[in-house]
Amino acid sequence: MKSTLFAAAAVAAVASLAVVSAEDVTPSGTPPGGITIKPITSGIATIPTVPTTASDDGRPSSSKPTGTASGSDSASQPTSSGSDTASKTSPGVPSSSNSKSQPSSSSGPSSTSGGVAVVAPGHAAMAAAAVVAAELNRVSPTTTLTTLTTTTTNPQTMADNMEVESPAATTQIDESLYSRQLYVLGHEAMQRMSAANVLIVGLKGLGIEIAKNVCLAGVKSVTIYDPATVELADLSSQFFLTEADVGVRTRAEASLPRLAELNRYVPVSILNGELDAAAISSFRVVVLTDAPVSQQLAINDLARANARGNTAFISATTRGLFALTFCDFGNGFVVSDVTGESPLSGIVSSIENSTDAVVTCLDETRHGLEDGDYVSFTEVEGMTELNGAAPRPIKVLGPYTFSIGDTTGLGTYVRGGIFTQVPQPKTIKFSPLREARLAPEFVYSDFAKFDRPAQILVAFEALDRFVEQNGRLPKPRSEDDATKLVALAHELNGGRAELDDKLVKEIAYGAEGELPPMTAVIGGLIAQEVLKACTGKFHPVLQFFTFDALEALPNNGEGLNEATNAPRGTRYDRQLAVFGQDFMNKIANAREFLVGAGAIGCEMLKVWAMMGLGTGPEGSIAVTDMDTIEKSNLNRQFLFRQPDVGKQKSAVAAAAVENMNPQLRGKITSYQDRVGPDTEAIFNDDFFARLTNVTNALDNVEARKYMDGRCVFARKPLLESGTLGTKGNTQVVIPDLTESYSASSDPPEKEFPMCTVKNFPNQIEHCIQWARKEFDTAFVDAPSSVNMYLTQPDYIEQLVHQGASGEQSLKEVLVGLHSFLVAARPMSFNDCVAWARHQFEENFNNSIQQLLFSFPRDSVTSTGALFWSGPKRAPTAIAYDASNEAHVDYILAAANLHAFSYGLRGNNDREAIRVAAAAVPVTPFVPKTGVKIATNDAELNELRQRGDTSATGTDVDEVERLRTELPAPASLAGFRLIPADFEKDDDTNFHIDYITAAANLRASNYAINNADRHKVKFIAGKIVPAIATTTALVVGLVNIELYKVIAGAKQLEQYKNGFVNLALPFFGFSDPVAPKKGQYFETEFTEWDRFDLEDVTLQQLVDHFQKTLKLDVSMVSCGRTMIYSSWSNRKVVAERLPLKIVDLVEQVSKKPVPAHTRKLVLVVCVTDENDEDVDIPEVHVHIRR
């Protein structure tokens, strides 16, 4: 993610939160997560289904519900395929053995394809439902509705039987499924979410996008409502509908089984009846999509009138290239965590005794706090009253200082102390829609369009009035209808906005439209708002949000009219309404290459399938991903299901979207190849030449840079994006217009000093990094070194010549070889336990005693200051205690990993391991004299440069002894060790268990708070937090830019790079950066320019620059091969000048140029007439074979 975009977010975050007035957001004494959530626990009629038939999208799924369900028997015994069943008390919880005793309708049945239910809430005026359905289906309010017939439950019973369930009472979340999302939301928020029931009204493109994201997130249940019959045009953006559903099923009926497949922990139900007070009160959140303002007002009133007072209301509508959303979470909504960022902490160096005491931090790191933040203190000596006291508000005085108020009544500060930022809950007062629409507050999506939100609000109300008067929306590109809408907008405005008639007309022109990228953007945003309402995690939208992508309209709509945009009876009619047939043809004939089929890749393919991308006679899609599907992917990569685990991502994703849009069959090709130099025979120059565009969906910078280079070489547009939790960014790379992806880069990741990690940790992160390195040393590096010693001749001589292997010294490598092959080679698992016991002694006792021997607790520095002060914490050695479970954790994990290395059978018998470890004899440690320990990295480097053997461990005698005692490789023919390649997502392999145990023991040495396994896995595994909401939104933004690429937009300002943070929420857009320019003589050039030459000889190349540009060639290279230099031997130069460039490259490099290569890239160094160096673009030489 680009640092410039993060910087923009930091600057604009304040602006985005400024929409909250002082009286609306106030500090609250309510504890974090102070929202009481009351889940539904009874009254839902359930219909268990068996996933034995294929659904219309080609996946195994439940068939159409056909039975009735009432009472507890049918609900308490759901039919399931396979052994995996879900608990009825909470999603993400394995079913308990006494599940039959649970309330029959607490969350409905569940199976590997999800729980499916149909609900009918009872009696009220059917006219209200008719109005809702009329808008959802765009039919007359008098149209008869087709609904699903079921046996229903009394709505009053449904309400009366509700129980209050504390989130803390729920059991463990399925971390293997939700692992990446847990690092976004946290366990507490996930528990709260798993107790929340959500109703989603309207299941066109926007509604299904929201429902999909909410199901993946893992709420307690999702109930859907849309009694309108499926129309062909719905398939423009509703990815869970098929042509077989058209005119036969309601949107809710058709969507139900496909939604239920997404998450087996989330039962999905149909609300079959009207939206009355009883129905609304059953839900924590009610979401209305594409509903008229009259219905929004009515449902918002019902949510506000809920006796339980906890129904949040959200509405969202997309009309072509415009969107409007509204949130009302009640009068006292508590946000427990506004930003989601990790609390800041730092080491204190001094605290004043004064009425406005100044706290000074160590000058190693800025404190990063802001005025108004709260901090708490620990480990303060002298002024001990601060330790564990209530958090204090601070005022920033400088990058290393802040004040905390009066400390005159406290003790005198002596030394030490750690401050920690304490996030404070905020209580937000929302206004109901009836009030908010008259004095609206907006979260701005684009500050360059500051005047549009109020206009869009008024125009959308005018659209509803237009539908009331005409029974339909304005016709696409109808000037008459647009004029009428302008008049209605002025009539309804009431001074709320300064209306631009042209903008209102654009809204009218595309009002019939429904675009997949727009539904993805708003669907991601609103699904995140649903999660906020369920959890109190992150700041909600307060209260209106508008979004428009008018700049994506090709040529500003020129040439479009009623005829070009009129419906043609196809699945793309609602896109046609916006863009016209000519542009739809361009979309269909586009040729796209998608690199990556993970979370972003799945969403991208889904949007492309709805757009009809690549479905034309000249169109195509290629997708590549070398990875296979894992269980943790299922939470975000929604094209995959449980039976797909272990299969290739690209193949499964391609098949899934072919089923979404059968017109893609034969148009999409899946590859299982990594992009890189080794696959250029597959993705060769001819492959790239055929493409319209390249889209990256990658998770690492190196692959992104490689693809960026290929796109620059082939002069193809590149769409780049990435996510990090609730943050996301997009970047557009357009030949000649913008800089490439590689032209700018983020700063390198912060690394902890080596000496800090090795000897002087002061944070749990230091301990985790140390433990991860210990894992690699003992279970990866050492077995690998043994295997190289046994298989590579002269391996030891190579080490002696190199001096070290990676970060290990020569002696450390030899000690490892000696230990694994001589001193501690195990013959049984008990030997592995003994080895683990000695490792414990060395790591947590002996090394600490040696450190304290070298630097006693009362040591002072050359300046007279205590050595063990500031960031240096004096450690304490740990004596092994068989009754301490943390000690046994380490032995168990280390012994099993050591056994794995030797192919020995492991053992999980904790008590047997406890007994065996306690019986291992351990020699008392005697500290060594003369050992020099570097206290910082600079000192360590200096000692190594001086060749100090004590510091680097290269004692000559010891090294020689170790070498001579090693067995000859020939004596161990066929013997190999098995390196434990680190895998964070396998909970049975002891990798994270070992690192957790080792890190926490290390932390205990230094009196640092321990970390749970979840946090250790996050840090040691370098896990990137991810959530489906951000992914969907970012993909929507990317495809808005894709419209512009396909249209061939030529102006830099037409494109947008974007940054979003859904936690705040914040949107920021900027023009892409133009490419940096170079110049030779009067000619400017960029990285996109090059000299294109035919299959020339070296002489012809030299002559070309001398004769045409008056430049003398001094050197020519191709990759790492230098094929010409003006100072080379004259005979050699004379021999090379007549040769073709391709022949010369092969001759000098002694390697054939691959047959797929069509051009060679040369770097040519030239000088002018004054012998001054001149920068010129690359030279591309075409090869004629």
Side-chain angles (χ1 to χ4, degrees):
M1 194 166 295
K2 295 294 186 179
S3 57
T4 53
L5 292 176
F6 276 117
V11 173
V14 175
S16 70
L17 293 176
V19 298
V20 185
S21 61
E23 61 268 26
D24 285 341
V25 181
T26 57
S28 170
T30 306
I35 305 169
T36 302
I37 299 176
K38 303 178 181 179
I40 299 175
T41 55
S42 66
I44 299 180
T46 59
I47 300 179
T49 59
V50 184
T52 57
T53 61
S55 65
D56 293 336
D57 64 357
R59 295 188 169 281
S61 73
S62 56
S63 58
K64 179 179 178 180
T66 57
T68 63
S70 62
S72 61
D73 291 343
S74 62
S76 64
Q77 302 180 49
T79 304
S80 172
S81 65
S83 60
D84 291 338
T85 57
S87 165
K88 294 179 199 165
T89 57
S90 174
V93 181
S95 59
S96 61
S97 59
N98 62 345
S99 60
K100 291 185 179 180
S101 65
Q102 299 294 331
S104 64
S105 56
S106 60
S107 65
S110 180
S111 70
T112 54
S113 63
V116 180
V118 181
V119 183
H123 313 285
M126 287 301 293
V131 171
V132 176
E135 173 57 22
L136 293 173
N137 203 24
R138 296 205 182 100
V139 297
S140 167
T142 60
T143 300
T144 302
L145 302 180
T146 301
T147 58
L148 188 63
T149 302
T150 63
T151 299
T152 63
T153 310
N154 186 289
Q156 189 58 47
T157 303
M158 180 168 62
D160 291 343
N161 289 346
M162 289 182 64
E163 299 175 2
V164 176
E165 180 181 13
S166 168
T170 60
T171 48
Q172 188 176 3
I173 295 293
D174 186 346
E175 293 191 8
S176 63
L177 175 66
Y178 296 114
S179 63
R180 305 306 187 263
Q181 181 176 291
L182 275 166
Y183 294 112
V184 181
L185 299 176
H187 282 83
E188 181 181 355
M190 284 290 294
Q191 294 285 10
R192 291 183 175 278
M193 197 163 66
S194 69
N197 301 285
V198 178
L199 171 64
I200 298 172
V201 179
L203 289 173
K204 292 193 288 188
L206 177 57
I208 202 67
E209 183 68 44
I210 297 168
K212 178 259 292 181
N213 293 330
V214 172
C215 284
L216 291 173
V219 296
K220 182 175 184 181
S221 73
V222 170
T223 302
I224 55 177
Y225 178 87
D226 193 334
T229 303
V230 176
E231 298 177 352
L232 183 59
D234 292 337
L235 275 60
S236 284
S237 59
Q238 221 282 27
F239 45 84
F240 281 160
L241 300 180
T242 69
E243 292 188 13
D245 299 319
V246 175
V248 177
R249 308 170 79 180
T250 67
R251 294 190 191 114
E253 289 173 340
S255 302
L256 176 66
R258 294 146 196 169
L259 280 172
E261 289 179 334
L262 292 174
N263 191 338
R264 66 190 182 94
Y265 294 124
V266 180
V268 182
S269 312
I270 292 177
L271 181 66
N272 187 30
E274 76 275 358
L275 300 171
D276 61 5
I280 298 302
S281 65
S282 303
F283 300 98
R284 177 67 190 92
V285 186
V286 175
V287 182
L288 268 63
T289 64
D290 302 317
V293 69
S294 57
Q295 188 200 4
Q296 295 179 41
L297 291 167
I299 301 302
N300 185 222
D301 289 344
L302 292 176
R304 280 260 167 178
N306 181 7
R308 291 172 173 78
N310 67 336
T311 298
F313 171 84
I314 302 173
S315 66
T317 304
T318 64
R319 302 291 187 197
L321 291 164
F322 297 84
L324 172 68
T325 76
F326 173 78
C327 294
D328 175 14
F329 296 172
N331 290 328
F333 181 75
V334 179
V335 181
S336 59
D337 184 353
V338 174
T339 68
E341 301 296 335
S342 299
L344 300 169
S345 65
I347 300 174
V348 175
S349 63
S350 69
I351 306 176
E352 294 179 347
N353 277 99
S354 67
T355 56
D356 194 16
V358 175
V359 177
T360 302
C361 307
L362 290 181
D363 59 4
E364 293 181 348
T365 307
R366 295 169 179 258
H367 55 64
L369 299 170
E370 298 179 359
D371 286 346
D373 283 347
Y374 281 70
V375 298
S376 61
F377 293 88
T378 56
E379 303 184 23
V380 176
E381 296 183 32
M383 198 177 288
T384 57
E385 298 89 341
L386 285 177
N387 296 328
R392 289 180 170 235
I394 68 102
K395 181 179 180 181
V396 174
L397 303 177
Y400 307 101
T401 57
F402 57 87
S403 62
I404 58 171
D406 192 357
T407 60
T408 54
L410 308 182
T412 301
Y413 176 83
V414 176
R415 71 173 67 87
I418 296 174
F419 77 83
T420 302
Q421 183 186 32
V422 181
Q424 296 296 296
K426 290 185 177 181
T427 300
I428 302 177
K429 179 182 178 182
F430 286 81
S431 298
L433 180 58
R434 291 187 187 278
E435 297 176 9
R437 59 186 286 268
L438 301 178
E441 288 184 288
F442 296 96
V443 171
Y444 291 91
S445 61
D446 189 342
F447 289 99
K449 302 174 181 178
F450 194 81
D451 60 332
R452 291 191 182 178
Q455 296 186 73
I456 294 172
L457 173 61
V458 172
F460 272 46
E461 291 183 6
L463 282 173
D464 291 336
R465 181 67 61 85
F466 185 98
V467 172
E468 291 175 6
Q469 294 178 355
N470 299 277
R472 60 172 176 80
L473 286 164
K475 294 178 182 178
R477 287 285 149 181
S478 169
E479 194 62 35
D480 289 342
D481 286 353
T483 301
K484 291 178 182 178
L485 188 70
V486 169
L488 287 172
H490 282 281
E491 178 185 333
L492 297 173
N493 185 17
R496 288 178 291 172
E498 185 177 337
L499 294 176
D500 178 353
D501 291 355
K502 184 177 179 181
L503 179 68
V504 176
K505 282 190 174 184
E506 289 292 351
I507 294 173
Y509 293 150
E512 277 279 7
E514 189 171 38
L515 304 177
M518 290 293 293
T519 58
V521 170
I522 304 304
L525 171 72
I526 294 304
Q528 189 67 55
E529 294 306 301
V530 170
L531 304 189
K532 293 175 185 178
C534 295
T535 65
K537 180 88 170 182
F538 308 138
H539 198 289
V541 169
L542 192 67
Q543 288 187 258
F544 287 98
F545 175 86
T546 67
F547 181 83
D548 79 86
L550 188 57
E551 65 278 1
L553 193 63
N555 300 317
N556 296 318
E558 293 180 9
L560 298 180
N561 52 53
E562 286 192 64
T564 60
N565 292 43
R568 285 163 170 75
T570 73
R571 62 181 295 146
Y572 308 115
D573 276 357
R574 290 187 186 147
Q575 296 177 72
L576 180 66
V578 177
F579 294 123
Q581 188 60 54
D582 288 347
F583 187 64
M584 291 303 299
N585 291 339
K586 288 185 177 181
I587 293 175
N589 288 308
R591 296 173 299 281
E592 292 293 322
F593 182 29
L594 176 64
V595 188
I600 289 177
C602 284
E603 293 288 340
M604 201 73 67
L605 287 171
K606 175 258 293 180
V607 172
W608 290 357
M610 296 298 97
M611 290 168 57
L613 187 79
T615 58
E618 300 176 12
S620 65
I621 296 174
V623 55
T624 189
D625 196 311
M626 64 177 294
D627 289 340
T628 56
I629 299 165
E630 301 175 357
K631 182 180 178 181
S632 63
N633 300 149
L634 304 182
N635 175 238
R636 306 171 320 283
Q637 301 172 22
F638 90 106
L639 295 181
F640 308 142
R641 304 290 182 268
Q642 185 67 42
D644 297 325
V645 172
K647 298 178 182 178
Q648 290 289 335
K649 286 185 176 182
S650 59
V652 174
V657 295
E658 284 178 349
N659 291 327
M660 286 182 175
N661 185 352
Q663 294 178 18
L664 273 175
R665 288 178 182 147
K667 294 293 184 178
I668 183 167
T669 304
S670 64
Y671 299 85
Q672 290 77 48
D673 302 283
R674 182 198 307 271
V675 291
D678 54 337
T679 58
E680 287 183 1
I682 300 171
F683 308 117
N684 54 32
D685 293 351
D686 291 340
F687 176 89
F688 275 88
R690 292 191 296 266
L691 298 176
T692 302
N693 182 71
V694 176
T695 301
N696 275 350
L698 291 162
D699 60 359
N700 68 90
V701 172
E702 290 309 311
R704 285 181 166 118
K705 287 184 174 180
Y706 172 80
M707 285 307 301
D708 177 62
R710 292 289 284 157
C711 288
V712 172
F713 177 83
R715 292 182 57 80
K716 295 295 180 181
L718 171 67
L719 296 176
E720 177 60 64
S721 61
T723 68
L724 180 66
T726 60
K727 304 181 183 76
N729 77 297
T730 64
Q731 182 179 355
V732 188
V733 178
I734 306 295
D736 299 319
L737 285 184
T738 75
E739 68 175 9
S740 66
Y741 172 84
S742 305
S744 62
S745 61
D746 293 334
E749 292 185 15
K750 179 182 177 182
E751 294 185 358
F752 298 123
M754 189 182 306
C755 283
T756 298
V757 172
K758 190 171 184 179
N759 293 310
F760 308 110
N762 56 67
Q763 303 172 23
I764 189 62
E765 290 80 3
H766 299 154
C767 300
I768 294 171
Q769 183 170 324
W770 174 87
R772 173 61 198 274
K773 187 177 185 301
E774 288 296 306
F775 173 91
D776 289 339
T777 299
F779 309 116
V780 181
D781 298 340
S784 298
S785 295
V786 168
N787 292 342
M788 287 188 286
Y789 170 72
L790 296 175
T791 59
Q792 295 184 10
D794 303 324
Y795 174 64
I796 299 298
E797 283 67 25
Q798 292 176 33
L799 288 180
V800 172
H801 177 71
Q802 295 170 359
S805 174
E807 293 184 0
Q808 289 185 297
S809 67
L810 173 62
K811 179 181 177 181
E812 287 171 333
V813 174
L814 291 172
V815 167
L817 291 173
H818 189 273
S819 173
F820 274 63
L821 291 175
V822 181
R825 179 180 173 183
M827 296 300 166
S828 68
F829 183 76
N830 275 357
D831 291 341
C832 296
V833 173
W835 176 86
R837 174 66 183 87
H838 285 112
Q839 288 294 112
F840 181 100
E841 200 69 14
E842 175 60 30
N843 288 329
F844 310 115
N845 190 333
N846 298 354
S847 63
I848 300 300
Q849 289 191 52
Q850 180 64 57
L851 182 62
L852 288 173
F853 180 81
S854 299
F855 300 105
R857 293 182 183 276
D858 57 357
S859 298
V860 295
T861 67
S862 58
T863 62
L866 284 173
F867 177 83
W868 294 107
S869 62
K872 290 186 175 65
R873 305 167 70 93
T876 301
I878 297 176
Y880 180 76
D881 180 359
S883 65
N884 190 316
E885 297 303 321
H887 296 193
V888 179
D889 286 343
Y890 177 86
I891 302 296
L892 189 152
N896 274 280
L897 285 166
H898 197 56
F900 174 84
S901 295
Y902 287 88
L904 298 173
R905 186 174 181 177
N907 191 335
N908 287 335
D909 188 337
R910 190 177 186 85
E911 293 310 311
I913 291 173
R914 188 193 309 273
V915 172
V920 175
V922 176
T923 303
F925 177 72
V926 178
K928 300 175 182 177
T929 59
V931 174
K932 295 182 180 180
I933 298 175
T935 59
N936 55 59
D937 284 2
E939 186 176 326
L940 177 61
N941 292 333
E942 182 181 348
L943 290 172
R944 284 181 168 175
Q945 289 171 5
R946 292 204 322 246
D948 191 300
T949 56
S950 297
T952 58
T954 56
D955 181 83
V956 175
D957 294 336
E958 178 68 4
V959 165
E960 188 59 30
R961 181 188 71 80
L962 292 169
R963 290 186 63 181
T964 57
E965 292 183 6
L966 288 175
S971 68
L972 295 170
F975 177 77
R976 300 289 184 273
L977 295 187
I978 307 170
D981 294 330
F982 179 67
E983 173 49 60
K984 59 185 177 293
D985 288 322
D986 183 351
D987 292 336
T988 66
N989 62 11
F990 296 101
H991 295 190
I992 296 298
D993 296 315
Y994 173 84
I995 296 172
T996 301
N1000 284 333
L1001 287 169
R1002 179 74 163 177
S1004 297
N1005 280 135
Y1006 288 86
I1008 298 170
N1009 290 333
N1010 284 193
D1012 60 22
R1013 190 178 191 277
H1014 183 67
K1015 182 173 183 177
V1016 172
K1017 180 178 178 180
F1018 175 63
I1019 296 173
K1022 296 183 178 180
I1023 290 176
V1024 178
I1027 190 167
T1029 53
T1030 310
T1031 303
L1033 189 149
V1034 164
V1035 167
L1037 294 178
V1038 168
N1039 282 285
I1040 288 171
E1041 299 307 307
L1042 179 58
Y1043 282 142
K1044 304 171 188 178
V1045 171
I1046 294 174
K1050 300 298 184 184
Q1051 302 300 317
L1052 184 69
E1053 58 272 15
Q1054 290 177 278
Y1055 295 97
K1056 298 293 180 185
N1057 289 343
F1059 175 85
V1060 299
N1061 186 344
L1062 292 181
L1064 298 179
F1066 168 76
F1067 283 67
F1069 296 98
S1070 63
D1071 294 342
V1073 178
K1076 184 180 179 181
K1077 293 183 178 181
Q1079 185 172 340
Y1080 61 92
F1081 303 136
E1082 302 301 320
T1083 303
E1084 291 185 334
F1085 67 93
T1086 72
E1087 60 186 311
W1088 295 100
D1089 294 307
R1090 71 282 310 269
F1091 290 103
D1092 279 305
L1093 302 179
E1094 291 304 318
D1095 197 10
V1096 297
T1097 65
L1098 178 59
Q1099 183 69 65
Q1100 289 170 326
L1101 184 147
V1102 172
D1103 291 345
H1104 172 79
F1105 283 100
Q1106 209 289 320
K1107 293 177 180 178
T1108 61
L1109 298 174
K1110 304 299 182 184
L1111 294 172
D1112 294 322
V1113 176
S1114 58
M1115 188 175 70
V1116 181
S1117 61
C1118 182
R1120 298 182 178 180
T1121 303
M1122 187 173 71
I1123 61 176
Y1124 170 78
S1125 64
S1126 58
W1127 57 87
S1128 295
N1129 181 284
R1130 291 186 178 182
K1131 181 180 178 181
V1132 172
V1133 171
E1135 292 174 349
R1136 292 182 178 182
L1137 285 172
L1139 296 178
K1140 291 285 187 72
I1141 295 295
V1142 61
D1143 297 330
L1144 186 54
V1145 169
E1146 290 181 333
Q1147 175 182 304
V1148 177
S1149 67
K1150 299 180 180 180
K1151 294 179 182 179
V1153 173
H1156 60 80
T1157 302
R1158 295 291 178 264
K1159 290 189 292 185
L1160 293 175
V1161 179
L1162 305 181
V1163 175
V1164 179
C1165 298
V1166 297
T1167 57
D1168 61 17
E1169 295 175 344
N1170 299 319
D1171 204 28
E1172 296 289 337
D1173 291 336
V1174 177
D1175 291 331
I1176 61 172
E1178 291 178 341
V1179 176
H1180 290 194
V1181 177
H1182 295 256
I1183 302 175
R1184 305 299 179 196
R1185 295 184 184 273

